[in-house]
Amino acid sequence: MSKTTIAVDAARLPILLTELRLPTFARLWPSLAETADAESWPAARFLAALAEHEVAERMQRRIARHAQESRLPPGKTFDAFDFAALPMIGKARFLALAEGDAWIDRGQNILLFGPPGVGKSHLGAALGYALIDNGFRVLFVRTTDLVQKLQSARQELSLAAAIEKLDKYHLLILDDLSYVQKSQAETSALFELIAARYERRSMLITANQPFGAWDSIFPDKAMTVAAIDRLVHHAVIFEINVESYRRKAAVARTPAARQPKPPLEPQEIDAPRQLP
Ligand code: ADP
Ligand code: MG
């Protein structure tokens, strides 16, 4: 083959590879071609090597994109989480949930209850990051913000479309559900979201208040019961009953205040609890 033919091919390749959306091919082929020529690789080996790199980087780019769109709070990963502070939450248990698979496929839910500062949001976010690494899509929202969004969507007669748009997320993390108050107009939109995802798409909910206090969230008692019923039907429920990690950290920084505290009784509940 003449040198000119090779040069022409080399000049066309960047355009062709861009058209085919193969950026890794485009970046790596010159150096891999040199190696292939020097080591007399068969053509198939050269092609397979490039294709493998493209697939691997594509997966990495997808994961990076999903992490970006997830709006997960930065740094709140399992690596940064001290499971020893939560004796009732088995690390292995959570790492198993991070594999996704069965519970995500069935649209099951995770509910994290506990007072402020015990690590609910961190734990939820960490699970979100791990699921993204395993190829799932996750969105983290403050529930009050989401209710506002859904409310504007309803005003524009596009509530159903807005809820459907969230379907692309295998897991929707609704942080601080109990900060939603029915005085915030249209909390029934939140119920419609819960009903729409029921048995199809998973949700992870964090809340300071147990179910008994959820009457203040939804417009009426019937809707509260219906929402809780759908959420708990297929759910893993964790009650985190420890001292606030924030407070503990602050106390640890204040030498004079270092007083031993009686430990609170840890408990974990797997089965749905009694409805109010
Ligand atoms: P909650 O959502 O229950 O109010 P957060 O998840 O926001 O609590 O936790 C409060 C702060 O303490 C965050 O900065 C969080 O990263 C940190 N934190 C809580 N629990 C742990 C833990 N077990 N290990 C490491 N950091 C923790
Ligand atoms: Mg929180």
Side-chain angles (χ1 to χ4, degrees), residues 117 119-122 175-176 206 208 246:
K120 302 181 299 296
S121 300
H122 189 145
D175 197 30
D176 282 327
T206 76
N208 295 338
R246 275 194 206 100

PDB file of all heavy atoms in Angstrom, residues 117 119-122 175-176 206 208 246, ligand 2:
ATOM      1  N   GLY A 117     -29.250  14.384  62.102  1.00  0.00           N
ATOM      2  CA  GLY A 117     -27.808  14.255  62.338  1.00  0.00           C
ATOM      3  C   GLY A 117     -27.282  12.853  62.515  1.00  0.00           C
ATOM      4  O   GLY A 117     -26.100  12.662  62.767  1.00  0.00           O
ATOM      5  N   GLY A 119     -27.144  10.512  60.210  1.00  0.00           N
ATOM      6  CA  GLY A 119     -26.503   9.969  59.005  1.00  0.00           C
ATOM      7  C   GLY A 119     -27.463   9.424  57.964  1.00  0.00           C
ATOM      8  O   GLY A 119     -27.049   8.708  57.056  1.00  0.00           O
ATOM      9  N   LYS A 120     -28.739   9.769  58.060  1.00  0.00           N
ATOM     10  CA  LYS A 120     -29.726   9.254  57.096  1.00  0.00           C
ATOM     11  C   LYS A 120     -29.412   9.715  55.677  1.00  0.00           C
ATOM     12  O   LYS A 120     -29.374   8.909  54.741  1.00  0.00           O
ATOM     13  CB  LYS A 120     -31.147   9.715  57.473  1.00  0.00           C
ATOM     14  CG  LYS A 120     -31.606   9.311  58.847  1.00  0.00           C
ATOM     15  CD  LYS A 120     -33.028   9.778  59.116  1.00  0.00           C
ATOM     16  CE  LYS A 120     -33.221  11.285  59.064  1.00  0.00           C
ATOM     17  NZ  LYS A 120     -32.457  12.018  60.109  1.00  0.00           N
ATOM     18  N   SER A 121     -29.186  11.017  55.524  1.00  0.00           N
ATOM     19  CA  SER A 121     -28.934  11.551  54.178  1.00  0.00           C
ATOM     20  C   SER A 121     -27.625  10.993  53.630  1.00  0.00           C
ATOM     21  O   SER A 121     -27.537  10.636  52.453  1.00  0.00           O
ATOM     22  CB  SER A 121     -28.867  13.082  54.205  1.00  0.00           C
ATOM     23  OG  SER A 121     -30.082  13.612  54.668  1.00  0.00           O
ATOM     24  N   HIS A 122     -26.610  10.917  54.500  1.00  0.00           N
ATOM     25  CA  HIS A 122     -25.311  10.393  54.079  1.00  0.00           C
ATOM     26  C   HIS A 122     -25.451   8.947  53.600  1.00  0.00           C
ATOM     27  O   HIS A 122     -24.969   8.579  52.524  1.00  0.00           O
ATOM     28  CB  HIS A 122     -24.320  10.505  55.241  1.00  0.00           C
ATOM     29  CG  HIS A 122     -22.902  10.186  54.853  1.00  0.00           C
ATOM     30  ND1 HIS A 122     -21.816  10.828  55.411  1.00  0.00           N
ATOM     31  CD2 HIS A 122     -22.382   9.293  53.974  1.00  0.00           C
ATOM     32  CE1 HIS A 122     -20.694  10.332  54.861  1.00  0.00           C
ATOM     33  NE2 HIS A 122     -21.023   9.403  54.001  1.00  0.00           N
ATOM     34  N   ASP A 175     -35.207  13.124  50.175  1.00  0.00           N
ATOM     35  CA  ASP A 175     -34.580  13.432  51.450  1.00  0.00           C
ATOM     36  C   ASP A 175     -35.510  14.303  52.288  1.00  0.00           C
ATOM     37  O   ASP A 175     -36.143  15.233  51.775  1.00  0.00           O
ATOM     38  CB  ASP A 175     -33.241  14.159  51.191  1.00  0.00           C
ATOM     39  CG  ASP A 175     -32.345  14.144  52.415  1.00  0.00           C
ATOM     40  OD1 ASP A 175     -32.433  13.179  53.204  1.00  0.00           O
ATOM     41  OD2 ASP A 175     -31.563  15.095  52.588  1.00  0.00           O
ATOM     42  N   ASP A 176     -35.587  14.008  53.569  1.00  0.00           N
ATOM     43  CA  ASP A 176     -36.368  14.804  54.519  1.00  0.00           C
ATOM     44  C   ASP A 176     -37.841  14.928  54.141  1.00  0.00           C
ATOM     45  O   ASP A 176     -38.371  16.032  54.035  1.00  0.00           O
ATOM     46  CB  ASP A 176     -35.747  16.202  54.680  1.00  0.00           C
ATOM     47  CG  ASP A 176     -34.531  16.159  55.583  1.00  0.00           C
ATOM     48  OD1 ASP A 176     -34.519  15.336  56.518  1.00  0.00           O
ATOM     49  OD2 ASP A 176     -33.593  16.943  55.346  1.00  0.00           O
ATOM     50  N   THR A 206     -35.907   9.475  53.454  1.00  0.00           N
ATOM     51  CA  THR A 206     -35.413   9.734  54.803  1.00  0.00           C
ATOM     52  C   THR A 206     -36.439  10.625  55.499  1.00  0.00           C
ATOM     53  O   THR A 206     -37.071  11.470  54.868  1.00  0.00           O
ATOM     54  CB  THR A 206     -34.038  10.448  54.822  1.00  0.00           C
ATOM     55  OG1 THR A 206     -34.203  11.835  54.500  1.00  0.00           O
ATOM     56  CG2 THR A 206     -33.064   9.818  53.836  1.00  0.00           C
ATOM     57  N   ASN A 208     -37.403  12.422  59.586  1.00  0.00           N
ATOM     58  CA  ASN A 208     -37.163  12.580  61.024  1.00  0.00           C
ATOM     59  C   ASN A 208     -38.326  12.028  61.838  1.00  0.00           C
ATOM     60  O   ASN A 208     -38.160  11.677  62.990  1.00  0.00           O
ATOM     61  CB  ASN A 208     -37.019  14.055  61.396  1.00  0.00           C
ATOM     62  CG  ASN A 208     -35.786  14.679  60.774  1.00  0.00           C
ATOM     63  OD1 ASN A 208     -34.845  13.970  60.421  1.00  0.00           O
ATOM     64  ND2 ASN A 208     -35.806  15.983  60.631  1.00  0.00           N
ATOM     65  N   ARG A 246     -23.399  14.605  64.104  1.00  0.00           N
ATOM     66  CA  ARG A 246     -22.957  16.012  64.101  1.00  0.00           C
ATOM     67  C   ARG A 246     -22.632  16.459  65.522  1.00  0.00           C
ATOM     68  O   ARG A 246     -21.607  17.043  65.797  1.00  0.00           O
ATOM     69  CB  ARG A 246     -24.097  16.921  63.603  1.00  0.00           C
ATOM     70  CG  ARG A 246     -24.196  17.057  62.114  1.00  0.00           C
ATOM     71  CD  ARG A 246     -25.108  18.227  61.765  1.00  0.00           C
ATOM     72  NE  ARG A 246     -25.703  18.054  60.460  1.00  0.00           N
ATOM     73  CZ  ARG A 246     -26.926  17.622  60.242  1.00  0.00           C
ATOM     74  NH1 ARG A 246     -27.703  17.326  61.260  1.00  0.00           N
ATOM     75  NH2 ARG A 246     -27.381  17.484  59.021  1.00  0.00           N
TER      76      ARG A 246
HETATM   77 MG    MG B   2     -30.654  14.651  56.292  1.00  0.00          MG
END
